[in-house]
Amino acid sequence: MFVISCPYCGEREQSEFKAGGEAHIERPKQPTELSDDEWAEYLFMRKNIKGIQYERWNHAHGCRKWFNMVRDTSNDEIKAVYKMGEKPPSV
Amino acid sequence: MSTNSRLKTSKFIDETSRISFKFNNKTYYGFKGDTLASALLANDVHLVGRSFKYHRPRGIMTAGSEEPNAIVQINDGTAVTEPNVRATEVEIYEGLEASSQNCWPSVNFDIGGINNLLSPLLPAGFYYKTFMWPASFWEKYEYFIRKSAGLGKSPTQPDPDIYEHQYIHCDVLVIGAGISGIMAAKTAAKNGLKTLLVDEKPILGGNTIYKDNEDTSINNQTPSKWISDQINELEKLDNLEIKKRTSVAAYHGYNYLLARENLTDHLPIHERKNKIRQRLLKIRAKKVITSTGALERPLVFNNNDRPGILLASALKRYSDLFGVACGKKNVLFTNNDSAYETALSFINKGIKIEAIIDIRENPNSKLVKKIEENQIKIFKGYTVVDTSGYKRINKVSIMQLSKDGQKVVGNKIEIPCDCLGMSGGWTPAVHLFTQSGGKLSFREEDQVFIPKIYTSKQISLGSCNGDFSLDSIIKNIPGQLKQFFEINSTEFDNLDIESNEDLSKRNIWLLPSDKIFGKTKPFVDYQNDATAKDIKLALREGFRSIEHVKRYTTTGMGTDQGKLGNMHALGIIADTAGVKMGELGTTTFRPPYTPLTFGTIVGRNVGEYFDIFRKTPMHDWHEQNKAEFENVGQWKRAWYYPKNNENMHQAVQRESKAARDSAGILDASTLGKIDIQGTDASEFLNRVYTNAWSKLAIGKCRYGLMLNEDGMVYDDGVTTRLDENHYIMTTTTGGAANVLGKLEDYLQTEWPELDVYLTSVTDHYATASVCGPNSKKILQKIIPDLDLSDDNFPHMSFKNAKIDGVKCRIMRISFTGEHSYEINIPASYGKSLWEKCMEAGKEYNITPYGTETMHLLRAEKGFIIVGQDTDATLTPIDLQMDWIVSKKKYDFIGKRSLYRSDTIKEDRKQLVGLLTDDPNEVLEEGAQIVADANKKPIEMLGHVTSSYYSPNLNKSIALGVVRGGKKMLGQKLIIPMENKNINVTVSDPVFLDKENKRLNA
Ligand SMILES: [Zn+2]
């Protein structure tokens, strides 16, 4: 079980958090302009990387804030956490 | 019973406190400090069980948690009975009753022993090959297999003991209190670090605590004296906590570990009352030191499993710690010097050694010479080729090994004995290290896997790290600790160590016999009866991966997880397949390291504490009025209120009729309520609901449908505009938390520019829903000064009001199709509101109804229940709810998905009404719907989602989803049941009052 450093609250047990899938997938601003394939790309396609992955987490049983995390999925090492809207750090 | 094998030389046994216990219904005596194993051995009892597959007689093999054979049932027939307990770990107490497992009718005469004679017919994979085909026969085989297999009996009564969980945060966790762990814990604590030291045994000090042979010394003291002084000092340190009888079960990432602390199992039964039996420790440590020691390896030779065959180190522990001589005529069999340590102890205590068989051709350490000087016969370059004795070993046969160790030569020599101690060298206990994600490397010179790459802040110290000699432990550990703790010195920097240990070893994984291989029984996994033959057979049949060989032969799959035999299995695979062990790797070690009780795992979360349950403010009233409850999410909701022995059907029929004929009242407090405020609240609702919200007037209510981005219905509910920038949204009972989470997600991540604040107020309000033609009169009695005329307070509107001075919100909304009001009042007034409604409604026979009646009433009106009539595969169009999807709005969650190629298909499952030809026939929810029951295979068109007998329509009604159902109005379909086909007609899903006249009645 990870120890996750919420950007707002600091270090907390993983059991306080909820994972929210791949990060930096922006909801299209004009969905009606998109073809079925383009919309499906947004809706369904996720990477599921072995290695460095950018992902969304929510401090569900804490401040309820969403934030982003960079995690190496091969050994669960958390490389960085950063607030929504912030630029992803390069690791 | 005489304790005829007890020596009078152990300081660890309290010979003043005699304890009686029973084993297989016979009374024996032991002393305080004994384990069940040591007490049995002291009574000369070696035969304790039968093996799993062949039912061979088995005895105690080890003195620790790695024990594969001596697993017993404790206190059989009582509520606290426990199967599969290792006799080597049970501390005896007055009244203990233990019995053998896996034998019937008794351990001395066991019917299953016939399997031993049949063993040529029970090779590896036997069960897979024989019983899996033909598949239809499995049920017949299973009965017999289950009867003759299985280890122990699970208890049949609820566990009366108390368990608990405890979180521990520490700077340093030290696992194992042998010499390495003691040095580490002391150094950590003395450097100001909050330290926890755990050990699975009741005595600290590992093997060193009884190491008092004169050839070894630390600072000119015997190791046992030195370490007991260290332990005395340790126990006085403030920031150090010591937990004995505590076994680390799991080592997860980020230094999160689970351990089981045993608190009362060693106490007499009467001293356990009201005490916590076991504790699950959830430990988060900044740094972890693993000093779990090493496990002695057995040797793999023909018939190496008889009672009386033990590990040499176990013989030493029994004699030095427990004062028990396991045999009167002992033979030692070894490939390294460890057995000579045992020999030295035996010589010092006057225990007779018949011979030592050493597979090394020329062992010549100082220790070996010393033993030779004591006139002990050592057969060098010899191996045991066979043993005999059914229930106890009585003889070993030995022969000389060839130079290459592949075969035996010369004459067979037979040595009578009653105990054989074997040592195949040592295996570092790296189980926890690998659980943590650590990677091992293979050390060729002595054929061991040792820790190499750590994935968290941890180190392995001592013999679990491959440092097997006291000498190297003492010399290496100070440096390792200094580096790990980033300190300049330790108190152990300049210890004097005197030791003659020699680590030379001749490693032969499978020792040869004079018999042909096929006629031998060299056991690798004792508990699962897997022999070297089984492993070789698996390889011959094409298995290569060690994980596959493991499963096929069941090697390492017992309750001991093959702690003793796994390395031999790997070695035999490597030798046979001609690959290097380092390349083969190990099988995966999985938690728990030793078995855990279910009690420990669940802790206090049993009975009513198994899960949280939520009660509404009116709950007590429902209980007093004999309501039956149903679980909805974590809520306990009133289901129906049976009167005069009514069954559920009768109660629901009565409640449903009363609600439509006069007045009904429902506790709707569990509906999710989200308070929405902010200047962009209207825009936010526009984006999350399918319909338009900007033009909703203040004081009005609107039903909304919420979709996922994939266009599927997610939740629904009524939202009320309380003020210009203030709404209150209701959600389904089960969906409340998820809806709030989803809305927060969009607000924070997609639309951070919106000025909107969401607050869950579900628990803040109690809600009573009063419905029926007389609901208006009842409400008027409660709030006389509120104008309830349709002009002032029409359907789908809201009013602030006061009841006895308490502010409340009243919505005129309806889920039943009746004229109805939802009264929301601060939660603490919920019960008095309810009672007030009941009192006011008395003259109108106001009838409390539960969720079942609510479901029936809304089904009459064709209102969906999200999660019952929908299952995340239905769009609003599929539900025939096109009216709620705004055509004008540019975007809302899920809009784009409503015209994907897949969602516009005409043959999607769509919601329809179903009327049975026989109006008294009520369909089963979940039943399949077909058009043609004769054409095979029958094509399934859909299923029934809701079904009731309607007392207001006097007929059966149902909702269902049917492929292309929208176009099937009036069409006949079939519900095929086990014994009959039921004919139905597709109808409009609204069965009652399609014109909504009743809403304003
Ligand atoms: Zn937080």
Side-chain angles (χ1 to χ4, degrees), chain B residues 335-373:
Chain B
N335 69 2
N336 71 99
D337 259 16
S338 296
Y340 295 86
E341 300 265 355
T342 306
L344 193 55
S345 278
F346 279 14
I347 291 165
N348 289 340
K349 293 184 170 57
I351 302 169
K352 199 172 171 212
I353 303 167
E354 301 292 319
I356 297 176
I357 295 111
D358 193 329
I359 69 170
R360 293 176 296 180
E361 295 198 306
N362 191 24
N364 58 4
S365 66
K366 282 187 181 165
L367 181 58
V368 173
K369 288 190 178 118
K370 189 167 175 178
I371 302 300
E372 270 181 318
E373 283 162 15

Side-chain angles (χ1 to χ4, degrees), chain A residues 6 8-10 17 59 62-65:
Chain A
C6 169
Y8 303 93
C9 308
F17 296 84
H59 195 183
C63 63
R64 283 178 39 208
K65 284 283 194 184

Side-chain angles (χ1 to χ4, degrees), chain B residues 734-748:
Chain B
N738 289 337
V739 169
L740 180 67
K742 181 184 163 95
L743 298 185
E744 273 290 351
D745 189 351
Y746 275 92
L747 258 187
Q748 290 180 32

Side-chain angles (χ1 to χ4, degrees), chain B residues 651-816:
Chain B
V652 168
Q653 296 290 305
R654 173 181 51 76
E655 291 170 13
S656 303
K657 199 134 177 52
R660 293 220 190 275
D661 290 351
S662 177
I665 181 168
L666 172 82
D667 181 355
S669 307
T670 62
L671 287 183
K673 304 174 209 63
I674 301 171
D675 185 274
I676 302 173
Q677 300 192 42
T679 52
D680 294 314
S682 301
E683 171 60 17
F684 180 68
L685 290 172
N686 264 334
R687 296 186 190 186
V688 300
Y689 277 134
T690 60
N691 47 351
W693 289 79
S694 311
K695 287 179 187 149
L696 184 70
I698 294 168
K700 296 290 183 190
C701 315
R702 184 164 285 174
Y703 174 75
L705 206 56
M706 200 182 290
L707 310 184
N708 271 326
E709 282 294 9
D710 62 6
M712 305 303 155
V713 171
Y714 182 69
D715 203 79
D716 69 346
V718 170
T719 295
T720 303
R721 190 167 198 172
L722 301 172
D723 208 335
E724 177 66 24
N725 297 320
H726 191 185
Y727 291 82
I728 181 113
M729 172 190 278
T730 57
T731 71
T732 58
T733 296
N738 289 337
V739 169
L740 180 67
K742 181 184 163 95
L743 298 185
E744 273 290 351
D745 189 351
Y746 275 92
L747 258 187
Q748 290 180 32
T749 68
E750 298 294 352
W751 308 321
E753 72 280 6
L754 294 185
D755 175 40
V756 176
Y757 302 89
L758 306 173
T759 311
S760 167
V761 292
T762 304
D763 293 306
H764 302 41
Y765 290 94
T767 308
S769 175
V770 181
C771 80
N774 287 314
S775 58
K776 192 191 218 167
K777 292 175 198 152
I778 294 167
L779 187 65
Q780 197 72 76
K781 279 175 78 177
I782 299 169
I783 317 172
D785 55 351
L786 184 61
D787 177 0
L788 295 181
S789 67
D790 286 348
D791 286 345
N792 182 58
F793 197 177
H795 182 56
M796 296 308 272
S797 66
F798 132 88
K799 294 286 174 210
N800 280 312
K802 279 186 179 174
I803 299 176
D804 293 344
V806 179
K807 277 188 190 169
C808 58
R809 292 171 179 162
I810 302 172
M811 281 82 168
R812 187 173 161 195
I813 54 178
S814 175
F815 192 42
T816 59

Side-chain angles (χ1 to χ4, degrees), chain B residues 413-480:
Chain B
I413 302 167
E414 294 186 339
I415 306 168
C417 66
D418 62 359
C419 183
L420 174 67
M422 57 181 167
S423 175
W426 295 83
T427 297
V430 294
H431 309 71
L432 294 174
F433 164 80
T434 56
Q435 278 183 25
S436 78
K439 297 279 176 290
L440 299 165
S441 69
F442 188 67
R443 194 164 72 191
E444 281 291 341
E445 63 209 66
D446 56 350
Q447 308 271 296
V448 291
F449 284 100
I450 51 172
K452 187 181 181 190
I453 300 167
Y454 297 98
T455 56
S456 63
K457 282 186 184 162
Q458 54 160 309
I459 44 167
S460 293
L461 291 181
S463 53
C464 70
N465 192 36
D467 272 350
F468 295 123
S469 74
L470 200 56
D471 190 60
S472 65
I473 287 172
I474 298 273
K475 281 182 184 145
N476 290 340
I477 282 183
Q480 290 166 319

